[in-house]
Amino acid sequence: MRNNLSVNHLLGIKYLTTSDINLIFQTADNFKKIINQPIKKVPSLRDITIANLFFENSTRTKLSFELAEKRLSADIINFSSSNSSVNKGETLLDTVNNILAMKVDIVVLRHPNPGSAVFLSRNVKASIVNAGDGTHEHPTQALLDAFSIREKFGDIKAKKIVIIGDILHSRVALSNIFCLKKLGAQVSVCGPSSLMPKFLSSLGVSHFSNLHEALEWCDIANILRIQLERQDVNYFPSLREYAMSFGVNMSVLNNLSKEITIMHPGPINRGVEISSDVVDSNHSLILDQVENGVAIRMAVLFLLSGKLNNNKQ
Ligand code: CP
């Protein structure tokens, strides 16, 4: 097996090979052991500087990247567009080039516009990590989701995973579909037809419009929030009616002929797509996903930093 990635940037799961994904998992296995020891820090990125550029709200991804970078001993700077000169009209490219003039090696970018990470990778001299670009991709979320399934079940191959909710606006759904299919899983989606992309069949996933049938089919249900901030029109009558048809609660789970595992990338809207008792039940992998996010992001940053050093030689 190779010990480096086939890519210089992490722009999306679409651009990774199955070997890349397995290498990230094996590296994350080692980092997970380290961050569970009393001394959680290693000097691996001591001479690397990372800029975290967040042009959109985030709790988990931002804090998880920041902690991963600190655990690897990188120097870090944090930028949030809400209190920056973006509000005075500065472009993304000018903002990033000014930050790179301060000698930055890796840029972690969250941006509301699909394609912004690819655009930066073509126009600046730094390794770019996509931390979520609009409705396009959220590769580290998909990696930590698949890593959490692998941790619980030992293997992902042939596992049946249904992704439930707002597939149309979800970068998590797209990255998960790419990642799980590369790892040999069977993937379906479930939700109202109005929240399904037109190109769904080209992704090789089937669609359930009935929640009970979807949950009976799957081993794992990954439940997504309704992304109201990305919806310019109403895609269903009301959140209450969405919850009645597609909300996962304990009575829905108790009506199944088997136990299934529940995942959610967060943020959660309790009582809409998922009930509190399911979030907090032992069906849920939600906090394992968050914990695994740090090890996965350490692995991604460590492997990309190895490519930087190769490029410098
Ligand atoms: N899952 C996820 O991307 O959460 P945040 O938006 O809080 O980063």
Side-chain angles (χ1 to χ4, degrees):
M1 181 160 164
R2 278 197 347 259
N3 63 0
N4 62 6
L5 295 174
S6 67
V7 291
N8 294 328
H9 311 272
L10 179 62
L11 303 175
I13 301 291
K14 188 169 50 191
Y15 307 102
L16 296 181
T17 64
T18 305
S19 301
D20 287 330
I21 297 171
N22 285 322
L23 176 62
I24 292 168
F25 287 174
Q26 284 167 12
T27 311
D29 285 334
N30 291 331
F31 283 129
K32 185 154 183 188
K33 283 184 205 136
I34 289 169
I35 59 180
N36 279 300
Q37 288 171 2
I39 297 172
K40 300 174 170 50
K41 210 161 165 158
V42 288
S44 313
L45 297 197
R46 210 174 31 197
D47 51 359
I48 298 288
T49 304
I50 303 177
N52 299 312
L53 310 188
F54 279 71
F55 290 79
E56 200 186 54
N57 296 340
S58 170
T59 298
R60 277 147 294 271
T61 312
K62 187 169 186 290
L63 295 178
S64 179
F65 266 111
E66 198 173 325
L67 196 55
E69 292 153 6
K70 287 182 171 164
R71 298 277 191 248
L72 292 166
S73 307
D75 288 326
I76 62 175
I77 50 174
N78 290 315
F79 165 95
S80 164
S81 61
S82 57
N83 55 5
S84 74
S85 293
V86 167
N87 298 324
K88 301 176 194 163
E90 196 164 36
T91 64
L92 173 63
L93 204 49
D94 281 337
T95 302
V96 175
N97 273 326
N98 276 271
I99 291 167
L100 293 185
M102 302 176 207
K103 307 287 178 223
V104 167
D105 301 294
I106 299 177
V107 172
V108 175
L109 178 73
R110 168 163 290 195
H111 200 281
N113 296 345
S116 45
V118 172
F119 171 76
L120 265 199
S121 72
R122 290 182 182 158
N123 288 285
V124 302
K125 284 193 170 54
S127 180
I128 308 299
V129 181
N130 183 359
D133 61 332
T135 55
H136 178 223
E137 279 228 38
H138 191 349
T140 56
Q141 180 68 47
L143 289 166
L144 73 88
D145 289 344
F147 184 80
S148 303
I149 295 171
R150 170 182 172 270
E151 187 175 65
K152 171 153 185 175
F153 292 94
D155 197 4
I156 292 170
K157 206 172 172 63
K159 285 280 163 301
K160 292 179 179 170
I161 296 136
V162 66
I163 306 171
I164 302 171
D166 184 358
I167 312 299
L168 182 63
H169 299 99
S170 173
R171 55 195 174 209
V172 173
L174 195 57
S175 288
N176 259 271
I177 291 168
F178 287 140
C179 189
L180 294 167
K181 287 191 71 74
K182 281 178 196 244
L183 295 169
Q186 295 182 55
V187 187
S188 288
V189 293
C190 174
S193 304
S194 55
L195 287 176
M196 297 297 136
K198 288 195 170 58
F199 57 86
L200 195 60
S201 58
S202 70
L203 297 173
V205 300
S206 49
H207 172 219
F208 286 98
S209 49
N210 179 287
L211 179 66
H212 179 78
E213 285 171 18
L215 296 178
E216 278 292 356
W217 172 82
C218 75
D219 304 305
I220 300 139
N222 194 353
I223 301 168
L224 307 179
R225 114 191 129 83
I226 300 297
Q227 305 211 5
L228 292 175
E229 76 277 21
R230 297 192 206 284
Q231 299 183 6
D232 43 2
V233 294
N234 290 336
Y235 287 82
F236 45 84
S238 69
L239 282 180
R240 206 160 130 244
E241 279 153 296
Y242 177 85
M244 280 166 59
S245 299
F246 295 102
V248 176
N249 56 42
M250 211 39 105
S251 113
V252 166
L253 294 187
N254 287 339
N255 271 337
L256 300 177
S257 60
K258 59 180 184 182
E259 287 218 343
I260 62 166
T261 296
I262 299 294
M263 302 176 72
H264 194 307
I268 289 166
N269 290 136
R270 288 177 187 249
V272 180
E273 74 274 10
I274 188 167
S275 65
S276 275
D277 50 3
V278 174
V279 172
D280 302 325
S281 72
N282 55 12
H283 294 273
S284 164
L285 275 191
I286 295 170
L287 292 181
D288 302 84
Q289 292 171 257
V290 177
E291 181 186 343
N292 286 333
V294 178
I296 282 290
R297 290 176 174 119
M298 287 174 80
V300 165
L301 294 167
F302 173 76
L303 291 166
L304 287 177
S305 76
K307 301 287 292 201
L308 285 173
N309 292 336
N310 288 346
N311 292 343
K312 278 179 196 163
Q313 282 164 6

